[in-house]
Amino acid sequence: MDTIVNASKEAREREERESPWRSLFRKEYLPNLVICVLMPFFQQFTGINAIIFYSPQIFSSLIGSGLSASLLVAIIIGAVQVVATGIGLVLADKFGRKALLVEAAVQAFIAQFLMGLLFYFQFRNSDEMDDWAAILAILLSCGFISAFGWGWGPLGWLVPSEIQPMETRSAGQSITVFVNLACTALIGQTFLPMLCGMKFGVFIFFAGWNLIMSVFAGLCLPETKGIQIDEVQHALHSHKFWKKVMDAEDYFSSYQNIP
C-alpha cells in the first residue's frame, strides 16, 4: 500500500509539470505506448470473431440447422471460455503473463491453421462436411476458444494496465480501450467481406497474426508478474529489446527533478 501511495504522489507531482498524454509520447515511454496499442490490437486480431461467427455452420453440419444448433454453439463456446478464463486466473500468477501469452498464441495458431486446412479439403469438392471432420472442427474451435480464454482475452486487458506507471496510466488505459473498440468495429465490419473473398483462407490469415503475436510476446514483452508499480520503467529499461530504445538518462533525470 505504501508503494502505491508513494507512486501516486510522484505521479501527481509529475502531472503538475507535464500531462500524462505528453509524458506517454516521450521517448522513455515509447515501450509503454507501443504495448498499450499493440496488445488490444492483437487481442482482436487473434480471430476470435472468425471462430464465433462461423461456429453455427460448423455445429449445424452435425445436428442440422436451426435454433438448436445456435443454442448449442452459444452453450459450448460460453462454457469453454468461462472455464478457460478461470484457469487463466491461476496460470497467470503461477507461470507468468509472458509465458501464457506465447503459449496461447501458438495454440491459437495451430488450431486456426488446421481449421483452415480442414475446411479447404472438406469443401473443395463438396458442400457438406463429414461427421469426423465436423467433430474435429468442434475440437479445434474449443482449442482456440480455450487459448483465447486464458491468454489474449483477459491478459490483453491486464498487461497494458500493469505496464503503465502512475504518471501515464490514465492516458495509456484510454488508448488501450480506444484501440480495442476500434479494432472490434473494424473486424465486425470487414469479416464477412473477408470470408466471402478469402473463404477458408480467412482462418489462415488470422493464424498468421497469432504467429506474429507469439513472436511479439516472446521478444518484446517484459514479465510483469510480481512487479511493483514503481518498478515498471526499471523492468522495461532492463529488458533486452526495449533498453535499446529507451533513454535511461532522460528517464532517471526526470525523477531527480521532482521537487
Side-chain angles (χ1 to χ4, degrees), residues 132-189:
W132 68 267
I135 295 174
L136 180 58
I138 293 172
L139 294 177
L140 291 173
S141 297
C142 291
F144 170 81
I145 293 295
S146 62
F148 182 84
W150 65 51
W152 289 84
L155 296 182
W157 291 105
L158 178 62
V159 172
S161 67
E162 292 182 330
I163 209 67
Q164 293 295 337
M166 290 298 297
E167 55 267 26
T168 63
R169 181 170 294 269
S170 58
Q173 286 297 91
S174 299
I175 291 176
T176 296
V177 173
F178 172 78
V179 173
N180 188 286
L181 294 178
C183 290
T184 300
L186 177 65
I187 295 296
Q189 292 297 317

Side-chain angles (χ1 to χ4, degrees), residues 19-48:
S19 71
W21 289 95
R22 186 173 180 180
S23 297
L24 186 59
F25 285 90
R26 289 169 56 184
K27 184 178 180 181
E28 61 265 30
Y29 295 106
L30 178 62
N32 310 76
L33 176 62
V34 171
I35 291 172
C36 76
V37 170
L38 289 184
M39 286 296 294
F41 173 85
F42 284 145
Q43 184 192 59
Q44 293 305 313
F45 274 77
T46 54
I48 183 65

Side-chain angles (χ1 to χ4, degrees), residues 25-236:
F25 285 90
R26 289 169 56 184
K27 184 178 180 181
E28 61 265 30
Y29 295 106
L30 178 62
N32 310 76
L33 176 62
V34 171
I35 291 172
C36 76
V37 170
L38 289 184
M39 286 296 294
F41 173 85
F42 284 145
Q43 184 192 59
Q44 293 305 313
F45 274 77
T46 54
I48 183 65
N49 288 329
I51 298 295
I52 292 178
F53 291 164
Y54 208 72
S55 290
Q57 295 189 30
I58 299 173
F59 284 81
S60 65
S61 64
L62 274 182
I63 62 175
S65 60
L67 181 60
S68 60
S70 299
L71 290 176
L72 183 59
V73 170
I75 292 172
I76 292 179
I77 289 180
V80 170
Q81 195 162 14
V82 168
V83 172
T85 303
I87 295 174
L89 295 176
V90 178
L91 296 181
D93 284 330
K94 185 175 182 180
F95 298 105
R97 285 81 161 125
K98 184 174 180 177
L100 202 57
L101 285 169
V102 173
E103 186 281 330
V106 172
Q107 180 177 330
F109 164 74
I110 294 173
Q112 287 198 317
F113 184 78
L114 292 179
M115 191 173 298
L117 293 180
L118 177 66
F119 289 161
Y120 171 74
F121 287 110
Q122 276 290 300
F123 292 107
R124 182 171 53 176
N125 299 316
S126 175
D127 293 332
E128 296 183 359
M129 180 180 286
D130 297 332
D131 288 347
W132 68 267
I135 295 174
L136 180 58
I138 293 172
L139 294 177
L140 291 173
S141 297
C142 291
F144 170 81
I145 293 295
S146 62
F148 182 84
W150 65 51
W152 289 84
L155 296 182
W157 291 105
L158 178 62
V159 172
S161 67
E162 292 182 330
I163 209 67
Q164 293 295 337
M166 290 298 297
E167 55 267 26
T168 63
R169 181 170 294 269
S170 58
Q173 286 297 91
S174 299
I175 291 176
T176 296
V177 173
F178 172 78
V179 173
N180 188 286
L181 294 178
C183 290
T184 300
L186 177 65
I187 295 296
Q189 292 297 317
T190 61
F191 174 74
L192 289 179
M194 287 175 60
L195 183 61
C196 293
M198 302 173 65
K199 300 186 183 301
F200 308 117
V202 70
F203 294 98
I204 307 297
F205 170 80
F206 285 115
W209 278 108
N210 280 285
L211 190 61
I212 294 173
M213 291 156 52
S214 66
V215 175
F216 169 79
L219 297 181
C220 301
L221 282 184
E223 180 54 67
T224 56
K225 172 188 173 184
I227 294 182
Q228 299 293 330
I229 195 169
D230 59 344
E231 299 173 348
V232 169
Q233 292 306 104
H234 294 279
L236 283 169

